Amino acid sequence: MIFQYDGTYEGLLCTVFEIYAMHMANDAQISPADGCLTLEESRRVENQSGKADRVVHRLKQIGIAGCVYDAWLSRKPDIENDLFAVVRMAIETGRSPMQARQYTCVRNVAAAAHLVRCETHRFLQFTRFVKVEREPEKPGLYLADIEPAYDILLRIAPHFVRRFQDQCFIIRDQPRGQALLYDTQRWQIVSFP
């Protein structure tokens, strides 16, 4: 059976929960809902934060929560099924399978997480801002346009918020049509056309 989720990380975690609740870990595949339609039987999974929180808690206990999240951010095709295979191995053994590189799913997840971490590090170092407002007496608004290969706005947000606490800024992720907005009080990620 193919379990379809809404494309969010919380949705992926709810899908993992649902698969285990239905005792279908051996026969399940995961696909984003916007993926290709298939002739196989499918089920759409709705998000429920309580279910996602339980899965995250278990992944943290095992020690793979960060790696799973980073690999998911790569948005590589079919990464969901590699992630599910790794999570399944972790739950069955009660420990991290990330050292078991003989498994293709572990290699794929480790490689995807590594790529996202490297990309995050690169953009933490080389993101440059341009002042948008030209009035010298005003604090101004700073803008940075980035084109990362992976979905890293959530990964870089805390760094820039800490670093530029007293400045308003926008970081636009051009390929994904998203922007990180910070107004010196709070930050959020929004979509733009």
Side-chain angles (χ1 to χ4, degrees):
M1 175 181 279
I2 296 176
F3 288 80
Q4 294 184 325
Y5 76 107
D6 66 355
T8 64
Y9 186 62
E10 183 179 75
L12 176 70
L13 298 175
C14 288
T15 304
V16 170
F17 184 94
E18 192 75 20
I19 289 169
Y20 273 97
M22 294 179 67
H23 305 288
M24 297 189 73
N26 294 331
D27 304 319
Q29 290 184 349
I30 302 174
S31 172
D34 60 350
C36 298
L37 293 175
T38 177
L39 297 176
E40 294 182 48
E41 185 180 356
S42 65
R43 175 184 174 94
R44 176 76 191 251
V45 177
E46 299 299 322
N47 288 4
Q48 293 181 6
S49 60
K51 291 179 179 180
D53 292 343
R54 288 178 61 181
V55 175
V56 166
H57 178 71
R58 184 66 179 132
L59 296 179
K60 284 181 181 178
Q61 285 178 329
I62 297 170
I64 63 167
C67 185
V68 168
Y69 180 65
D70 288 342
W72 178 80
L73 286 175
S74 74
R75 306 296 176 113
K76 288 186 172 284
D78 206 38
I79 193 67
E80 294 89 359
N81 289 306
D82 286 332
L83 286 169
F84 180 64
V86 167
V87 167
R88 187 172 162 213
M89 291 169 62
I91 289 173
E92 288 174 2
T93 62
R95 57 189 170 84
S96 173
M98 297 314 295
Q99 300 304 317
R101 299 292 170 105
Q102 69 269 26
Y103 297 106
T104 304
C105 61
V106 173
R107 286 194 309 273
N108 292 344
V109 167
H114 177 73
L115 290 171
V116 168
R117 290 174 185 150
C118 288
E119 185 88 338
T120 300
H121 185 68
R122 185 168 72 90
F123 278 91
L124 289 178
Q125 291 180 339
F126 297 111
T127 299
R128 299 293 177 253
F129 291 88
V130 175
K131 189 171 183 179
V132 177
E133 294 180 24
R134 301 283 184 219
E135 298 179 37
E137 66 275 357
K138 289 188 176 180
L141 172 68
Y142 293 87
L143 174 67
D145 286 326
I146 62 174
E147 294 187 15
Y150 307 108
D151 188 4
I152 62 167
L153 275 183
L154 282 171
R155 298 278 296 151
I156 65 174
H159 169 79
F160 286 108
V161 168
R162 275 192 313 273
R163 186 165 177 214
F164 302 111
Q165 294 177 19
D166 60 343
Q167 297 172 349
C168 297
F169 66 82
I170 299 172
I171 301 175
R172 294 189 296 195
D173 181 342
Q174 298 286 11
R176 285 162 199 81
Q178 295 180 334
L180 167 63
L181 308 176
Y182 179 65
D183 65 1
T184 72
Q185 302 298 318
R186 60 185 164 74
W187 63 270
Q188 62 181 333
I189 294 180
V190 298
S191 296
F192 64 87

